[in-house]
Amino acid sequence: MIDTINVREAIETENGRYAALVREKLKKSNTYLINLMGSPGAGKSSVLLYLASLLKDRIRIGVMEADVDSDVDARLMENAGLLALQLHTGGACHMDAKMTLEGLEHLPLESLDLVVLENVGNLVCPAEFDVGANKKVTILSVPEGDDKPLKYPLMFQVTDCLLVNKMDAAPIFDFDLTRLRENVKPLHPGLPVYPVSARTGAELEAVATYLLHEMERT
């Protein structure tokens, strides 16, 4: 008889243990963690930079940039005056809780109100791993299409907030915001959806207000 081991269950159990440690660490330092997810090119870094410019005089912000390789985004954050840490995932297409905990240990959390983890660009793997964040925020861009909730449902089920970026380019693409909302609703009724533009800044003040409100509730 061949023994069978449920490897996925073991991985999820271990990840859950580290996610609990992340939450404990955040609670002790009174720091809020956002897991920012989305496809490559969706505008995660651009949106983050704009939001940081709106929030930097009100809260202290740190950023963890997760990539398979390079430090391009971390340098962008640093050049904008943000405390930034580059995380390399060693080829993994997502961050897990253990990686996140290791990153947090290299940040002065007692001096930060908010840490944003910009996850690896992907609509699949990041949705499957709880990193211990207080809030999951997903960015979908107009050029990706309004059908993405149908193709990658888990991401839209687990996220707490959806930003639809590049709305200034909507006239160029066959993108219907109403249709997107209809595709999201069965997966996550009541999900906050913000149509934004990192280029023009449209609706990002409303997102900043939402995030501050959510931080105050913890």
Side-chain angles (χ1 to χ4, degrees):
M1 182 175 178
I2 299 175
D3 290 334
T4 302
I5 300 173
N6 190 331
V7 178
R8 181 174 181 82
E9 184 176 326
I11 292 172
E12 290 176 348
T13 299
E14 181 184 24
N15 190 75
R17 183 166 60 85
Y18 279 105
L21 292 175
V22 168
R23 292 187 178 95
E24 182 180 344
K25 190 173 187 66
L26 293 170
K27 187 175 181 179
K28 285 182 178 178
S29 61
N30 196 28
T31 306
Y32 198 87
L33 175 64
I34 291 175
N35 181 10
L36 183 62
M37 301 177 286
S39 299
K44 296 187 297 299
S45 298
S46 299
V47 168
L48 176 51
L49 284 171
Y50 203 104
L51 286 173
S53 72
L54 296 174
L55 294 169
K56 66 181 181 181
D57 294 332
R58 289 178 270 185
I59 57 174
R60 302 165 296 175
I61 305 171
V63 178
M64 297 194 295
E65 289 290 344
D67 288 294
V68 173
D69 205 345
S70 90
D71 60 358
V72 174
D73 291 337
R75 288 184 180 276
L76 278 176
M77 301 299 155
E78 190 175 66
N79 290 339
L82 296 170
L83 177 63
L85 177 66
Q86 182 66 57
L87 303 175
H88 286 162
T89 62
C93 60
H94 64 275
M95 285 289 291
D96 61 25
K98 185 177 182 181
M99 297 175 190
T100 303
L101 181 62
E102 184 175 353
L104 292 174
E105 288 174 347
H106 287 79
L107 290 176
L109 294 184
E110 292 75 13
S111 303
L112 297 172
D113 302 304
L114 170 66
V115 173
V116 179
L117 166 63
E118 184 177 338
N119 216 316
V120 180
N122 196 320
L123 282 178
V124 181
C125 304
E128 298 179 354
F129 285 83
D130 177 11
V131 299
N134 299 95
K135 186 71 62 178
K136 299 170 187 164
V137 176
T138 299
I139 297 180
L140 176 72
S141 66
V142 163
E144 293 177 79
D146 49 45
D147 61 349
K148 288 301 172 288
L150 304 178
K151 296 182 176 182
Y152 307 101
L154 183 60
M155 177 61 78
F156 298 88
Q157 288 171 336
V158 303
T159 195
D160 299 305
C161 178
L162 175 62
L163 310 185
V164 185
N165 189 31
K166 306 185 183 180
M167 285 301 298
D168 53 298
I172 304 172
F173 296 91
D174 182 23
F175 184 92
D176 188 325
L177 185 61
T178 299
R179 189 162 57 216
L180 172 72
R181 292 181 187 274
E182 291 173 351
N183 290 337
V184 168
K185 189 174 181 179
L187 300 171
H188 195 149
L191 177 69
V193 178
Y194 291 89
V196 306
S197 170
R199 189 177 71 84
T200 67
E203 291 300 312
L204 285 172
E205 182 66 59
V207 176
T209 299
Y210 163 79
L211 293 176
L212 286 174
H213 175 71
E214 292 301 300
M215 290 176 66
E216 289 171 0
R217 290 177 57 190
T218 58

